[in-house]
Amino acid sequence: MVMGIIHTHRQFNCFFPLHSLLLTDNFFFYFFFLFSVWFFIIYPLLQAKSLLAMEAAAARSIPRTVEEIFKDFMGRRAAMIKALTTDVQEFYQLCNPEKENLCLYGFPNEQWEVNLPAEEVPPELPEPALGINFARDGMQDKDWLSLVAVHSDAWLLSVAFFYGARFGFDKATRKRLYALINDLPTIFEVVTETAEKQAKEKSSVSNIASNNTKTSSKAGGSESVKYLKQVKDEDEEEDDEEHGETLCGACGENYASDEFWICCDICENWFHGKCVKITPARAEHIKHYKCPSCSSKRVRV
């Protein structure tokens, strides 16, 4: 075999110098050798070292004591509260009902995520409620967020006591863990309190607007009552000429100057006081009068 290689070298020596061929052979030999060492020895060792380091870090990150589990609970809780309050607009957009079953995850580093459930069976940790996105458009925003908050509270408790069961907490240790958790307000309480504050702010704004409307309508209503008094004090002939074609919205009879009338501020129809059971004394205290028909329509809406 050696003689054959020498013979081959002699055949090609007329085309390439022998020392160049030897240099070329040495280059490929060393390249192949180094590649083999890297691929089959060094790279597997580095991968194994990296996996061992990741496993060691994961083992260190798994909470084992009551304090560590409570710290994990606090981080996940803060993340989910953030999703349901300060980041609620982003959370709402991510929960698209057209997507598959989505879950809200909270992580110990106070970061949250909306994602599909884990594919592992059984999962490494208890899973949050599935399909929170499906109910988004079928409920009022406040009620939907409250529902997600309740399920988030249940998930946080399940994760905390999963760790407790995994590391063999006894009755006293579990009680201590629950006491720490129970001192905090639930996510549901935080979210509903925020919703109540927003509702109060909206109601205060609407109250201001309604007060302004009532003030203007009060002026309009008082003018109506005053106008009716003036009509009664003026000459009956002039009243009959001005309001002769006015009909009562309840009984349909014509206007008469010797009777008390009142106008609805919604439909602007006139009514006999006796037909709608309103006396002149009672009309003095009405700021914004609505006839029975308009009142029933408002109730239906």
Side-chain angles (χ1 to χ4, degrees):
M1 179 178 178
V2 175
M3 295 299 295
I5 293 174
I6 295 173
H7 179 69
T8 303
H9 278 293
R10 287 176 179 175
Q11 287 181 340
F12 287 95
N13 194 32
C14 58
F15 300 100
F16 300 100
L18 181 59
H19 66 277
S20 299
L21 183 62
L22 291 175
L23 288 175
T24 305
D25 288 346
N26 289 338
F27 172 77
F28 284 110
F29 172 77
Y30 285 120
F31 176 80
F32 180 77
F33 175 76
L34 292 175
F35 176 79
S36 300
V37 170
W38 165 259
F39 189 80
F40 293 105
I41 300 176
I42 299 176
Y43 182 73
L45 289 175
L46 291 175
Q47 286 288 95
K49 184 179 179 180
S50 177
L51 289 174
L52 289 174
M54 290 175 62
E55 291 177 359
R60 288 193 299 269
S61 65
I62 295 177
R64 297 173 180 271
T65 66
V66 171
E67 290 74 18
E68 290 175 346
I69 293 175
F70 182 64
K71 183 179 179 181
D72 180 272
F73 177 92
M74 289 280 290
R76 296 178 189 272
R77 173 180 174 274
M80 303 182 94
I81 290 175
K82 184 179 178 183
L84 298 175
T85 54
T86 57
D87 295 346
V88 67
Q89 295 298 328
E90 180 183 357
F91 172 69
Y92 185 89
Q93 295 298 328
L94 291 174
C95 293
N96 189 343
E98 296 181 358
K99 294 183 179 180
E100 299 181 19
N101 289 308
L102 294 177
C103 304
L104 173 60
Y105 292 91
F107 300 107
N109 62 355
E110 300 187 6
Q111 299 297 315
W112 60 272
E113 180 184 49
V114 173
N115 208 339
L116 295 171
E119 296 181 357
E120 301 176 70
V121 179
E124 183 181 354
L125 286 176
E127 284 292 304
L130 298 176
I132 58 173
N133 52 317
F134 294 146
R136 190 194 73 176
D137 294 344
M139 305 173 64
Q140 292 186 359
D141 292 351
K142 181 181 69 173
D143 297 334
W144 176 65
L145 292 173
S146 299
L147 179 63
V148 176
V150 170
H151 283 291
S152 300
D153 283 320
W155 179 66
L156 288 178
L157 288 172
S158 66
V159 171
F161 282 89
F162 170 83
Y163 284 129
R166 179 176 178 181
F167 297 111
F169 284 8
D170 57 14
K171 181 179 179 180
T173 310
R174 291 195 304 271
K175 187 175 181 180
R176 187 158 66 94
L177 174 61
Y178 184 76
L180 290 172
I181 295 174
N182 200 41
D183 285 338
L184 298 171
T186 63
I187 297 177
F188 174 78
E189 291 171 342
V190 174
V191 171
T192 52
E193 183 180 355
T194 303
E196 288 174 2
K197 286 182 179 179
Q198 293 175 350
K200 287 180 180 178
E201 291 175 359
K202 290 181 179 179
S203 63
S204 63
V205 173
S206 62
N207 286 337
I208 293 172
S210 62
N211 287 335
N212 293 335
T213 305
K214 286 180 180 179
T215 303
S216 60
S217 64
K218 179 179 179 181
S222 60
E223 288 176 1
S224 298
V225 175
K226 288 179 181 178
Y227 172 74
L228 290 171
K229 287 184 177 180
Q230 291 174 359
V231 168
K232 293 182 72 175
D233 294 337
E234 290 177 356
D235 186 44
E236 293 182 359
E237 293 180 359
E238 293 180 359
D239 293 342
D240 291 338
E241 290 177 0
E242 291 180 10
H243 305 283
E245 297 180 358
T246 303
L247 300 179
C248 174
C251 66
E253 293 183 2
N254 292 326
Y255 170 80
S257 59
D258 59 343
E259 295 178 315
F260 173 75
W261 285 62
I262 189 168
C263 180
C264 175
D265 292 316
I266 304 298
C267 63
E268 298 184 352
N269 288 327
W270 288 84
F271 298 87
H272 287 110
K274 62 181 181 181
C275 293
V276 291
K277 298 180 181 180
I278 300 293
T279 62
R282 185 178 175 187
E284 291 284 349
H285 303 284
I286 296 176
K287 299 178 181 179
H288 191 68
Y289 176 68
K290 292 182 289 185
C291 68
S293 177
C294 292
S295 299
S296 63
K297 288 179 182 178
R298 181 63 59 88
V299 170
R300 289 192 201 103
V301 173

